[in-house]
Amino acid sequence: MRRLIAACLAASALLAGCSGSDGNSRPLQVTDDLTAATPATAPPAKTEPAGRVVQAPPADHTVVLPEQHTLALAGADRASITLFDTRDLDASPRTVDLPAPAASLRPVRNGQALIAALPEADTVAEIDLATGRVNRTPVSGAPADALPVGDELFVARPAAKDVAILRDGEIQRRVDGFPGAGELLRRGETVVVLDRLTTSLTPLDIDTGDKQPALRAGEGATRAVTDNFGRVLVVDTRGEELMAFATEPLIMKQRSPADGSPYGLAYDPGQDLAWVTLTARNELVGYDTATGQAEETHRVPTVRQPESVAVNPETGTRYIASAAGAGLQVVRN
């Protein structure tokens, strides 16, 4: 009964937090904490991590590129990207220097390159995996994430409180009202913006850039991914939940408890599993998201401070990176 009441209250709060695209509706407010949610500091690891652990620098972002047999790690404390060969993780990794630490990392151009937002350098950088060459695009506003869509580049700019839409390196449009724009996701004919300060999701029409109605996403949303079912999965770090939102229209469909300061998030499309790291417990939890309610199906001990995770969609292998320098964990099926 308490869960039902909580769900009703949450639904009311979501409806109250909606903002229309006409600019006349009341905008979503910044959270009471006035700061974005952050992962809990992990306790000392008491259980041996599952799988194997290889030496790796501290990482906040982990990306796997299966066709290139490459695993990329980026950390907020260093201006470089570390590239591992997934066929031989014992081999020395390659390092590509960047102008500044990366706030985001994602594959582009059919996995041939990576794109990173570099807020300290007011730059978005594309990294060619074959040559290590870094192509820079100046973007002011401390870019937090960048998403190529056709011949345009959507850039989250929390310092400018907007999402900028660029073509050929020049800003063509700006969408205001995003004080904590942190992640961008392509979903159908929209780009969905995760704002960590308003802890909300807002779809933007790809063709016009117009805002569509927004929804709150828990008490402190931090990470988001898309899944096979046209949804956006969101980790609520402060509220300790995993949520699922349908996007056409934007509606909350699922919310599942994830006690232990959930933070890292990855999706395995082959098994319809959402993998969530719990930094307060040094654990990785797998949720079956194919049913009406996400159900926990896996739980394994991890390296200390597991703040990022990636999944090879071809094999289901999980890569969990420690943000505290405890190494890169590899868990195979």
Side-chain angles (χ1 to χ4, degrees), residues 76 78-80 97-103 116-125 134-144 155 157 159:
R78 68 183 189 281
S80 64
D97 292 331
L98 299 176
L118 313 176
E120 293 181 15
D122 274 343
T123 296
V124 171
V134 178
N135 294 317
R136 309 182 191 183
T137 299
V139 184
S140 62
V155 181
R157 306 193 307 167

Side-chain angles (χ1 to χ4, degrees), residues 264-277:
L265 176 64
Y267 178 71
D268 182 347
Q271 302 183 71
D272 293 322
L273 290 174
W275 292 99
V276 179
T277 67

Side-chain angles (χ1 to χ4, degrees), residues 284-298:
L284 176 71
V285 180
Y287 293 88
D288 183 348
T289 61
T291 61
Q293 178 65 30
E295 297 179 357
E296 179 184 327
T297 57
H298 301 72

